[in-house]
Amino acid sequence: MQNTNLQINSSKSIRRLLRQRWLVVVLALILTGLGAALTGVLFKAGIHTLDVWRLNLLKQQPSWMVLPILGGLGGLLSGSIITKFAPAAGGSGVTHIMAYLRHRQVPMGLRVGLVKLISGIIAIGSGFPLGPEGPAVQMGGSVAWQMAEWLKAPRAFRRVIVAAGGGAGIAAIFSAPIGGFIYAIEELLNSARPVVLLLVVITTFWADTWADVLQNFGLTNHTGGFDQSLGFSIEREYTPLIHFLPIDFGYLIALGIIVGILAELYCQYVLVMQRNGNRWFKNKLIFRMSMSGLILGIFYSFLPEEFHHVGELQNLIAVGNANISLALGTFVVLFISTGLAAASGAPGGLFFPMLTLGGCIGLACGNWVELLTGHVPSTYIFAGMGAFVSACSRTPITAMFLAFALTKDLLMLKPVLIACIASFLIARLFNEESIYERQIKVEANEQMQNPSLPIT
């Protein structure tokens, strides 16, 4: 009853703000969308630049020397920047925004967002197998908080605009405005009030639009969905040949069950690694990230060349050019290495690894099913991607739209949603909370036991 009254009062205060200070609201939405798009595009551009440099270096020097050195130095430099300028910039960033929206005292602002941008580029670009979406959520939320602070917006509106900024970060990174919008509502706000929906949808779509425009000006190697002469257009990252048959329902449910079990194992592994990292290293983030980067570099240096660029691995999986051995090998490698990377406190997200892990299971299961039955749904790879995200984050609708954003094919929605719901229900049998909600509890417990630990 108390929560209901708070939501009603919050909604009334936002509507009052819209009537009395509509210009403040418009400026906040415009600046938040632009800020989230700019930081997201710069983040991807920075990572791409370091990736190209690292891959060129690998062509000149042996991997056993390059990868450990770059990993250790990347961890050292990134950890030093975080420790010195903004300890709250460590970690994925999603839990940071979620904690703020749950009324915890969490550092916010442009300083945190800028440190997240720089340290995240260094960490991921030096070889930490994490994704840009977690930092994008935190950067978008930090920009939003700063805009609301400068414009002296009321507290109820700040909470909404921070969630909208987080969703805008997802929209800018994945070129998925609907996915970013649903994520802000489904995971960050847990709200469906009409006035809130309006503010969030405007911000996320605005961020996606700006991201397309900025990418067209050469800030990244990706041109986005905007051309100066043709205007906006649909940009598909992958164009699979999709067939959806009635028999596929059973196959997709079975895939969702398998992915749900494996995704929960992954959540448990990441959480165990995070607890152990906090216990072993306490507040020594620089040493923790340096050692993790070194270990990851050594680990990857013994692997075939395909594993030296995680982004290309996802492309191989998504287009179906990997065999069962490579798919399962990629799953095992990312399962182990992303847990270590997340436990290090590195500024990077888990959505990107989750998509690849799910794609690996979809590809491997598809090959086995085809051998056994002679038929496999053509949507298995992307259904596996969405299902893995759904099971880990407990956000099936968001996961469906993130997988859909890779192809922009409406026929993909139904099969992906079937797998997402199946994996979501299976994962909830083990634990009702998402990996991020459990991470918040781990961080809160560690913070109580050791107040010197940074909030990540």
Side-chain angles (χ1 to χ4, degrees):
M1 185 66 179
Q2 184 179 2
N3 289 336
T4 302
N5 291 333
L6 285 174
Q7 287 186 355
I8 293 173
N9 292 333
S10 174
S11 184
K12 286 182 178 179
S13 67
I14 293 173
R15 285 199 297 268
R16 192 182 308 116
L17 177 67
L18 286 171
R19 288 194 303 268
Q20 297 175 356
R21 301 177 63 193
W22 62 269
L23 183 58
V24 169
V25 175
V26 171
L27 284 174
L29 296 180
I30 290 175
L31 293 175
T32 297
L34 177 58
L38 182 60
T39 53
V41 169
L42 288 175
F43 199 77
K44 289 196 294 184
I47 292 172
H48 173 72
T49 300
L50 285 185
D51 269 343
V52 170
W53 177 73
R54 179 168 56 88
L55 292 173
N56 287 335
L57 195 59
L58 283 170
K59 294 177 181 178
Q60 304 170 15
Q61 303 294 336
S63 60
W64 59 263
M65 181 174 67
V66 172
L67 295 180
I69 291 175
L70 287 183
L73 287 177
L76 173 66
L77 184 56
S78 179
S80 299
I81 293 172
I82 292 170
T83 301
K84 183 174 179 59
F85 297 105
S92 75
V94 173
T95 55
H96 183 101
I97 298 299
M98 289 177 65
Y100 172 81
L101 295 174
R102 284 154 178 74
H103 308 290
R104 284 183 57 192
Q105 294 296 320
V106 179
M108 299 288 288
L110 288 184
R111 182 188 183 94
V112 173
L114 183 60
V115 171
K116 192 78 170 188
L117 174 67
I118 298 172
S119 61
I121 289 173
I122 294 172
I124 298 175
S126 63
F128 282 76
L130 298 171
E133 65 292 326
V137 169
Q138 186 174 10
M139 290 186 297
S142 297
V143 170
W145 183 91
Q146 191 67 69
M147 296 304 106
E149 179 75 9
W150 283 343
L151 297 170
K152 301 187 184 302
R155 181 175 298 179
F157 178 73
R158 292 186 192 191
R159 184 172 180 273
V160 172
I161 199 68
V162 165
I170 291 286
I173 289 294
F174 284 104
S175 295
I178 300 177
F181 164 65
I182 297 295
Y183 181 73
I185 300 300
E186 192 176 27
E187 175 80 282
L188 300 181
L189 277 176
N190 298 308
S191 173
R193 288 166 287 160
V195 65
V196 173
L197 296 178
L198 176 64
L199 297 175
V200 174
V201 75
I202 290 173
T203 308
T204 50
F205 275 76
W206 182 247
D208 178 67
T209 300
W210 268 113
D212 284 343
V213 173
L214 292 172
Q215 287 177 153
N216 181 257
F217 291 137
L219 290 180
T220 70
N221 64 314
H222 182 63
T223 57
F226 176 74
D227 182 87
Q228 289 177 326
S229 58
L230 300 177
F232 291 96
S233 60
I234 294 177
E235 186 76 14
R236 293 181 172 88
E237 194 163 348
Y238 304 105
T239 54
L241 185 62
I242 299 174
H243 301 287
F244 186 42
L245 305 174
I247 194 176
D248 292 352
F249 279 89
Y251 286 88
L252 290 163
I253 291 172
L255 175 66
I257 293 171
I258 294 171
V259 171
I261 295 171
L262 292 174
E264 180 57 26
L265 288 174
Y266 179 72
C267 292
Q268 294 287 352
Y269 167 69
V270 170
L271 291 166
V272 167
M273 292 295 291
Q274 185 173 353
R275 292 190 192 98
N276 288 334
N278 289 339
R279 186 171 67 250
W280 294 336
F281 297 101
K282 303 297 182 184
N283 61 337
K284 300 175 182 177
L285 180 66
I286 299 175
F287 180 68
R288 182 175 175 173
M289 284 189 60
S290 300
M291 288 301 299
S292 296
L294 178 64
I295 293 170
L296 286 167
I298 294 172
F299 178 61
Y300 275 89
S301 69
F302 286 101
L303 297 175
E305 187 176 342
E306 293 90 344
F307 291 89
H308 296 165
H309 190 197
V310 177
E312 286 304 314
L313 269 180
Q314 188 193 60
N315 290 334
L316 286 174
I317 299 297
V319 299
N321 286 343
N323 55 30
I324 292 180
S325 298
L326 181 57
L328 292 179
T330 301
F331 181 84
V332 172
V333 167
L334 285 184
F335 192 103
I336 296 171
S337 62
T338 55
L340 174 59
S344 72
L350 292 174
F351 271 21
F352 181 84
M354 287 175 191
L355 286 169
T356 307
L357 287 165
C360 290
I361 296 303
L363 179 60
C365 287
N367 286 334
W368 283 329
V369 166
E370 191 171 22
L371 289 174
L372 291 173
T373 68
H375 171 73
V376 62
S378 61
T379 55
Y380 241 38
I381 294 174
F382 294 95
M385 289 181 175
F388 207 96
V389 173
S390 172
C392 291
S393 65
R394 306 296 194 268
T395 54
I397 308 301
T398 298
M400 174 187 68
F401 278 109
L402 290 182
F404 161 75
L406 297 174
T407 65
K408 303 293 193 302
D409 192 323
L410 289 173
L411 192 57
M412 185 69 74
L413 288 174
K414 286 183 182 179
V416 171
L417 180 59
I418 293 168
C420 286
I421 291 177
S423 67
F424 167 74
L425 294 174
I426 291 298
R428 279 180 64 88
L429 293 177
F430 297 99
N431 196 305
E432 292 188 356
E433 296 181 321
S434 71
I435 185 174
Y436 300 114
E437 291 169 322
R438 284 179 275 177
Q439 282 182 317
I440 290 175
K441 290 183 177 180
V442 170
E443 292 164 4
N445 290 335
E446 294 296 335
Q447 194 70 28
M448 290 177 61
Q449 297 173 14
N450 185 6
S452 61
L453 276 175
I455 300 173
T456 58

